[in-house]
Amino acid sequence: MSAEPTGRSPLGPPDPIQQGGPTVLRIVLGTHLRRLREANGITREAAGDAIRASHAKISRLELGRVGFKERDIVDLLSLYGITEAGEREEYLSLARRANSRGWWHQDSNLLPSWFETYLGLEQAASVIRTYQVQFVPGLLQSEEYARSVILVGHQDEPADDIDRRVRLRMNRQKMLTEPGAPQLWAVIDEAALSRPFGSRRVMHDQIEHLLEMTSLPNVTVQVLPFEFGIHAAAGGPFTILRFAEADLPDVVYLEQLNSAIYLDKRPEVEDYLAVMERVSVQAETPSETKAILRKKLLDD
């Protein structure tokens, strides 16, 4: 029996889905498939049997962690009682779009899969809140500062690959000035502004770039000064992503040396939201932050 007794498709994609990249589309489709499975009282094990796979693969599909094979979608829709041709085609169309490649695919050989996931989520987020302690956030880095940061971790790579990494980071930033740009709210520890990456000129230009970015209506920057001492975000840097699409939960991104952790369970996310709220109160206000940045330029 269909989970939608009226015969209407549960998809009806609103604008946020239409605009989302493949990562978001995978998550949305996976969410719909999970709801269909649960509405029909079917276990992950039974769904896995229907597509000749394990329950673990069903879990990955429903979380949007992997791409979709059209044959698997067809079999799952049949299992879940979705038989109307137009409704089935909506799901299949969404699956095809979810399998498309992101704009960064041309550089995917440089990117670990866990970071490609982040890029997809970042591009689709409506609000990005981040606390950074060692670097200026990637979305706010000047080109030469970005090059200096990238060289620290990739100093043995060919110059062409370094150039590609820098170009990728600059391309990420374009979304901040495009229609439908996300709100970016960054709290930056003063340590990130005091630790030199590159020459004094590079750091000077980076501070100037930060000031320029704060003039954008969708960008808020706060500095957490040394003098504050111990603060709420003492555990380290993190980023919280929020999406306009109701099917997508907030996601906390925690980057590690060779991997990343994604948290989306509500209690975990709420813990980080609470820390973000506290550290935002503890940091200098946006107007005071601009004054701090201007003073650093004068003192340079």
Side-chain angles (χ1 to χ4, degrees):
M1 179 179 177
S2 170
E4 192 71 20
T6 63
R8 292 181 303 222
S9 167
L11 290 178
D15 287 344
I17 296 181
Q18 297 283 12
Q19 297 170 0
T23 302
V24 167
L25 296 177
R26 286 200 304 270
I27 296 172
V28 170
L29 179 55
T31 298
H32 283 301
L33 291 174
R34 174 181 57 77
R35 289 175 179 169
L36 287 172
R37 178 180 59 76
E38 292 174 346
N40 285 279
I42 296 171
T43 65
R44 287 194 179 94
E45 286 77 9
D49 289 342
I51 64 169
R52 303 151 297 279
S54 67
H55 71 280
K57 180 175 179 179
I58 294 296
S59 179
R60 291 194 296 272
L61 286 172
E62 292 180 349
L63 290 170
R65 301 280 170 82
V66 294
F68 298 91
K69 293 181 180 178
E70 189 161 325
R71 175 185 173 184
D72 291 344
I73 300 299
V74 168
D75 290 344
L76 288 174
L77 292 176
S78 297
L79 179 66
Y80 301 154
I82 305 299
T83 57
E84 198 275 319
E87 189 174 355
R88 289 169 70 92
E89 180 53 33
E90 281 195 69
Y91 283 100
L92 291 170
S93 175
L94 184 54
R96 294 181 197 111
R97 290 161 53 209
N99 286 335
S100 65
R101 294 168 173 174
W103 59 262
W104 55 87
H105 177 73
Q106 62 183 355
D107 295 314
S108 61
N109 64 313
L110 297 176
L111 302 172
S113 59
W114 52 265
F115 191 66
E116 285 196 69
T117 298
Y118 176 76
L119 288 179
L121 294 173
E122 181 183 76
Q123 291 292 308
S126 59
V127 180
I128 303 170
R129 301 181 69 179
T130 186
Y131 168 71
Q132 296 296 324
V133 64
Q134 184 169 1
F135 312 110
V136 172
L139 289 174
L140 297 175
Q141 291 179 5
S142 67
E143 184 169 342
E144 289 308 310
Y145 178 90
R147 184 179 300 277
S148 297
V149 171
I150 288 168
L151 280 169
V152 171
H154 304 278
Q155 55 189 320
D156 295 329
E157 289 189 4
D160 286 349
D161 284 354
I162 298 298
D163 289 342
R164 289 170 62 200
R165 290 183 184 277
V166 173
R167 183 178 65 246
L168 176 65
R169 190 160 301 182
M170 296 301 102
N171 285 337
R172 281 174 58 197
Q173 298 176 5
K174 291 179 180 179
M175 68 177 186
L176 293 176
T177 54
E178 293 176 344
Q183 293 289 325
L184 173 62
W185 185 352
V187 177
I188 306 173
D189 197 289
E190 188 176 357
L193 303 178
S194 302
R195 180 176 291 108
F197 283 95
S199 65
R200 292 183 65 180
R201 180 191 60 79
V202 168
M203 292 303 296
H204 183 277
D205 290 349
Q206 174 60 68
I207 301 298
E208 280 192 332
H209 182 68
L210 262 182
L211 273 170
E212 291 173 8
M213 296 301 289
T214 61
S215 68
L216 295 176
N218 56 313
V219 174
T220 300
V221 177
Q222 294 179 263
V223 169
L224 186 63
F226 286 132
E227 64 191 43
F228 199 88
I230 296 175
H231 53 79
F238 61 92
T239 299
I240 306 172
L241 304 165
R242 175 162 292 176
F243 309 91
E245 167 53 42
D247 281 331
L248 300 180
D250 292 352
V251 174
V252 176
Y253 173 73
L254 304 171
E255 187 169 321
Q256 301 176 325
L257 182 61
N258 292 311
S259 63
I261 297 174
Y262 294 87
L263 306 175
D264 61 4
K265 291 183 172 57
R266 193 63 206 170
E268 296 172 327
V269 173
E270 286 179 347
D271 286 344
Y272 278 91
L273 284 169
V275 170
M276 192 73 211
E277 292 294 339
R278 290 199 299 272
V279 79
S280 297
V281 171
Q282 293 169 343
E284 301 289 0
T285 66
S287 60
E288 291 168 338
T289 291
K290 290 180 182 180
I292 290 172
L293 295 176
R294 293 190 188 101
K295 185 176 186 301
K296 282 186 174 293
L297 289 177
L298 291 174
D299 291 344
D300 188 14

